[in-house]
């Protein structure tokens, strides 16, 4: 090609390289796999029998592990593991859809490309699978299921998914397209070596994540001990009939959920603390929320020109905000219609609407930012340590207080008056700082363990991919 041609965007291909797909990305991927360290075969030559689409059943409530589980795409996490929950069952559990040990399921739409390897030793109850998944059974004399599952966790496989998936309203990959996947086939001992590397890293990840969770769980015990309280246990059973005094009804809350006995018991326990008990509105200098400009409207702009617009899903206990993922609004919107919800460093943020309701974080950045209507901004006076308040509401006692405020409607929500009416135990400022500092140290240790766990697994994946592709 002439030197004037951009070689990063233009390339030549042989007629024999064109098979079922004319996509440039697919052709480049298939060209790359031919240079792998090991021979490659298309998946269709490594199967026992034809791929099988799942059952077309509606999910219904599953109440015990004795019932057959109906596995859907949403039951598989991003690591290809079955979520540890009851899930759902189905009215008809046809035996032809029962999963056997080492069966592989692939998502054909939605989380397209996601793979699940069924292990009967880990999942001891019967399972069938839904129609948006496809079952593949491998010839284990050539390709071990554990090795192939690991291959689907690598970036090289994800590049194939991006190349093969059909762009539509909902991306999809059908059985025939999965069968066209070229798979590197190392000798069986090398496949086992790869499995050993991955499993060692995964076990290390699980250990570190468990240690991190233990540290986070210890925060609750520590806080309750420091505040000298013992809140009543949470119960999933609610009284169907009970009476309340008219003079106890506040915040216009006439719903039975708010007046459950367990919430009244919690208030009584708070009063037993040796420290001051007050409401947020008595220690806050500001309680407000933002608004959301019309989607696609001219209120939004680019990162370089705009002001970060924080939404409730971006709040977390570590006070981390990924500014590459947030939306940006124009400065005139920030200083105009949304001027009352400008964030300042140290402001408390509470998610008050939707799936993340009850999440609490602090805006710990010097740059200007704003919030949407799903976040309550709470700013305090100098007698309050915001990190302590955050820790209080993230603990079980604070979450129960927030839970009480949730309105039991289709989309749970808490209004600003209810945020202001929430109780908090308020020790002297020095004690607040002592508690907050200790809890932050525990969180940092937990975050470090989680980071180490993730990095170790990613390093293992990179090592495996280099073994397969011959690249560093």
């Amino acid at each position: 090609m002439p030197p004037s041609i951009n070689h990063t965007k233009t390339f030549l291909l042989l007629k024999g390289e064109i098979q079922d797909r004319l996509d440039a990305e697919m052709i480049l991927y298939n060209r790359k796999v031919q240079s792998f360290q090991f021979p490659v075969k298309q998946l269709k030559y490594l199967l026992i029998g034809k791929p099988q689409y799942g059952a077309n059943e509606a999910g219904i409530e599953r109440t015990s592990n004795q019932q057959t589980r109906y596995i859907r795409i949403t039951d598989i996490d991003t690591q290809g593991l079955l979520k540890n929950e009851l899930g759902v069952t189905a009215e008809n559990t046809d035996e032809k859809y029962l999963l056997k040990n080492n069966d592989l399921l692939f998502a054909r739409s939605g989380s397209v490309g996601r793979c699940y390897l069924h292990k009967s030793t880990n999942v001891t109850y019967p399972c069938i699978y839904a129609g948006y998944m496809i079952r593949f059974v491998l010839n284990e004399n050539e390709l071990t299921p554990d090795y192939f599952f690991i291959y689907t966790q690598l970036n090289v496989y994800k590049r194939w998914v991006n190349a093969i998936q059909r762009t539509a309203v909902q991306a999809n990959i059908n059985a025939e397209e999965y069968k066209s996947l070229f798979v590197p086939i190392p000798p069986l001992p090398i496949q086992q070596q790869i499995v050993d590397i991955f499993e060692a890293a995964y076990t290390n990840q699980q250990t570190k994540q468990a240690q991190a969770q233990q540290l986070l769980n210890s925060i609750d015990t520590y806080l309750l001990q420091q505040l000298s309280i013992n809140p009543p246990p949470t119960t999933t059973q609610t009284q169907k009939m009970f009476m309340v005094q008219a003079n106890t009804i506040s915040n216009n809350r006439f719903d039975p959920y708010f007046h459950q006995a367990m919430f009244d018991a919690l208030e009584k326990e708070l009063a037993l603390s040796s420290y001051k008990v007050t409401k947020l509105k008595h220690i806050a200098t500001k309680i407000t929320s933002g608004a959301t400009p019309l989607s696609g409207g001219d209120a939004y702009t680019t990162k370089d020109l705009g002001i970060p617009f924080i939404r409730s899903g971006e709040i977390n206990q570590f006070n981390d905000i990924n500014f590459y993922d947030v939306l940006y609004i124009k400065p005139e919107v920030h200083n105009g219609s949304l001027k009352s919800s400008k964030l300042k460093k140290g402001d408390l943020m509470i998610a008050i609407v939707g799936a993340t309701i009850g999440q609490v974080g602090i805006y710990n950045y010097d740059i200007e930012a704003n919030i949407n209507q799903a976040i309550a901004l709470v700013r305090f006076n100098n007698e309050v340590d915001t990190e302590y308040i955050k820790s209080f509401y993230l603990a079980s006692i604070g979450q129960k207080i927030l839970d009480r405020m949730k309105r039991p409607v289709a989309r749970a929500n808490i209004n600003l008056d209810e945020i202001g009416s929430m109780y908090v135990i308020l020790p002297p400022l020095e004690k607040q700082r002592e508690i907050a500092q200790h809890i932050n140290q525990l969180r940092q240790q937990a975050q470090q363990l989680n980071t180490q766990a993730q990095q170790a697994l990613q390093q293992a994946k990179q090592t495996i991919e280099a073994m397969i592709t011959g690249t560093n």
Side-chain angles (χ1 to χ4, degrees):
M1 289 189 293
S4 59
I5 297 294
N6 186 337
H7 291 264
T8 63
K9 296 183 178 179
T10 308
F11 61 93
L12 298 174
L13 55 93
L14 300 173
K15 183 178 180 181
E17 291 182 284
I18 302 176
Q19 297 180 12
D20 298 327
R21 297 284 295 264
L22 297 177
D23 313 55
E25 286 189 30
M26 192 72 255
I27 292 167
L28 286 174
Y29 175 85
N30 287 338
R31 182 180 290 180
K32 180 177 178 60
V33 300
Q34 300 305 321
S35 65
F36 281 178
Q37 288 287 88
F38 305 103
V40 295
K41 280 188 180 182
Q42 285 186 305
L43 183 59
K44 61 185 175 182
Y45 300 119
L46 299 164
L47 301 176
I48 296 176
K50 296 180 179 180
Q52 182 187 26
Y53 289 87
N56 186 21
E57 296 286 338
I60 60 176
E61 184 182 10
R62 182 171 182 255
T63 57
S64 77
N65 280 336
Q66 278 65 54
Q67 294 174 294
T68 299
R69 184 169 180 178
Y70 184 41
I71 297 178
R72 304 161 299 174
I73 295 170
T74 52
D75 294 325
I76 310 301
D77 69 18
T78 56
Q79 288 188 302
L81 303 175
L82 187 63
K83 293 177 183 176
N84 185 24
E85 54 192 37
L86 274 176
V88 299
T89 186
E91 185 174 348
N92 300 307
T93 54
D94 195 321
E95 287 189 2
K96 71 179 181 181
Y97 300 117
L98 279 174
L99 289 176
K100 300 180 180 65
N101 189 52
N102 283 336
D103 282 355
L104 286 145
L105 296 181
F106 282 89
R108 66 183 177 96
S109 63
S111 300
V112 64
R114 188 167 294 181
C115 178
Y116 164 65
L117 174 61
H118 187 71
K119 288 292 185 181
S120 299
T121 52
N122 298 333
V123 183
T124 56
Y125 46 78
C127 297
I128 63 172
Y129 59 102
Y132 285 101
M133 307 189 82
I134 313 171
R135 169 163 51 188
F136 291 79
V137 182
L138 299 180
N139 177 358
E140 296 185 30
N141 292 323
E142 283 195 80
L143 186 67
T144 66
D146 296 273
Y147 161 74
F148 182 58
F149 171 75
I150 292 166
Y151 184 74
T152 67
Q153 305 301 301
L154 305 180
N155 286 331
V156 64
Y157 169 76
K158 293 174 183 176
R159 287 195 290 272
W160 175 82
V161 170
N162 290 333
I164 195 72
Q165 64 182 323
R166 297 185 181 278
T167 303
V169 175
Q170 189 174 40
N172 65 86
I173 304 176
N174 63 37
E176 288 302 312
E177 289 166 329
Y178 274 118
K179 285 165 62 179
S180 73
L181 169 66
F182 280 101
V183 184
I185 316 294
L188 290 176
I190 301 297
Q191 292 185 37
Q192 186 56 51
Q193 182 184 349
I194 287 170
V195 171
D196 292 342
I197 292 171
F198 185 86
E199 288 187 347
Y202 178 72
T203 299
N204 177 61
Q205 181 196 49
Q206 294 294 98
T207 300
K208 287 187 179 296
Q209 286 177 339
Q211 291 170 346
Q213 192 58 51
Q214 285 179 351
L215 285 171
L216 293 175
N217 291 343
S218 72
I219 291 174
D220 208 64
T221 303
Y222 167 78
L223 180 65
L224 296 178
Q225 287 175 345
Q226 294 299 306
L227 299 179
S228 303
I229 55 171
N230 182 28
T234 301
T235 176
T236 56
Q237 295 182 339
T238 57
Q239 294 174 271
K240 293 185 177 179
M241 294 183 65
F242 56 89
M243 296 177 62
V244 296
Q245 298 294 324
N247 59 6
T248 65
I249 296 175
S250 60
N251 297 323
N252 293 317
R253 293 297 295 264
F254 296 93
D255 52 289
Y257 182 81
F258 182 88
H259 295 281
Q260 290 179 72
M262 65 175 178
F263 293 136
D264 289 336
L266 175 61
E267 276 196 18
K268 291 175 183 176
E269 183 64 33
L270 291 175
L272 296 177
S273 174
S274 57
Y275 297 117
K276 175 183 176 182
V277 179
T278 187
K279 293 182 178 181
L280 280 187
K281 63 184 178 182
H282 296 146
I283 56 174
T285 60
K286 185 172 189 173
I287 300 178
T288 190
S289 65
T292 298
L294 289 175
S295 177
D298 62 2
Y300 298 96
T301 185
T302 62
K303 178 179 182 292
D304 294 336
L305 300 175
I307 303 294
F309 186 59
I310 313 301
R311 295 163 294 175
S312 58
E314 286 142 3
I315 299 174
N316 62 71
Q317 62 179 312
F318 299 107
N319 304 332
D320 294 331
I321 293 175
N322 186 341
F323 288 101
Y324 290 98
D325 289 340
V326 303
L327 296 175
Y328 287 83
I329 55 174
K330 292 179 178 178
E332 55 265 35
V333 176
H334 174 67
N335 294 313
S337 60
L338 296 183
K339 65 180 180 181
S340 65
S341 55
K342 290 181 180 181
L343 282 169
K344 289 185 178 180
K345 186 174 183 179
D347 284 346
L348 186 75
M349 299 183 292
I350 304 174
I352 56 174
V353 179
T356 59
I357 190 168
Q359 184 57 274
V360 186
I362 296 174
Y363 187 72
N364 262 351
Y365 300 88
D366 292 314
I367 60 175
E368 290 187 87
N370 217 302
I371 54 173
N372 70 357
Q373 79 280 5
I375 296 176
L377 177 162
V378 187
R379 191 171 295 156
F380 297 101
N381 59 38
N382 294 331
E383 297 178 1
V384 177
D385 185 279
T386 309
E387 283 286 351
Y388 165 77
I389 301 294
K390 181 191 80 172
S391 297
F392 179 85
Y393 284 115
L394 282 174
S396 62
I397 186 169
Q399 286 294 296
K400 286 176 184 175
I401 293 170
L402 280 159
D403 188 51
R404 183 183 197 182
M405 296 300 170
K406 297 176 188 176
R407 293 182 177 271
V409 292
R411 193 166 189 231
N413 65 86
I414 306 171
N415 66 40
L416 295 180
D417 286 338
E418 290 163 341
I419 289 293
S421 71
M422 293 194 310
Y423 286 108
V424 60
I425 298 174
L426 198 69
L429 184 58
E430 285 306 311
K431 185 63 176 180
Q432 293 176 45
R433 289 171 176 165
E434 175 193 325
I435 292 172
Q437 183 178 14
H438 182 79
I439 290 176
N440 279 338
Q441 288 173 350
L442 293 175
R443 281 206 184 93
Q444 288 168 7
Q445 291 171 30
Q447 191 173 29
Q448 185 177 17
L449 284 167
N450 280 323
T451 299
Q452 290 172 354
Q454 191 61 32
Q455 288 175 342
L457 188 63
Q458 288 303 319
Q459 182 59 53
K461 290 180 180 180
Q462 291 171 11
T463 299
I464 292 167
E465 189 155 337
M467 290 173 65
I468 292 170
T469 64
T471 57
N472 295 321

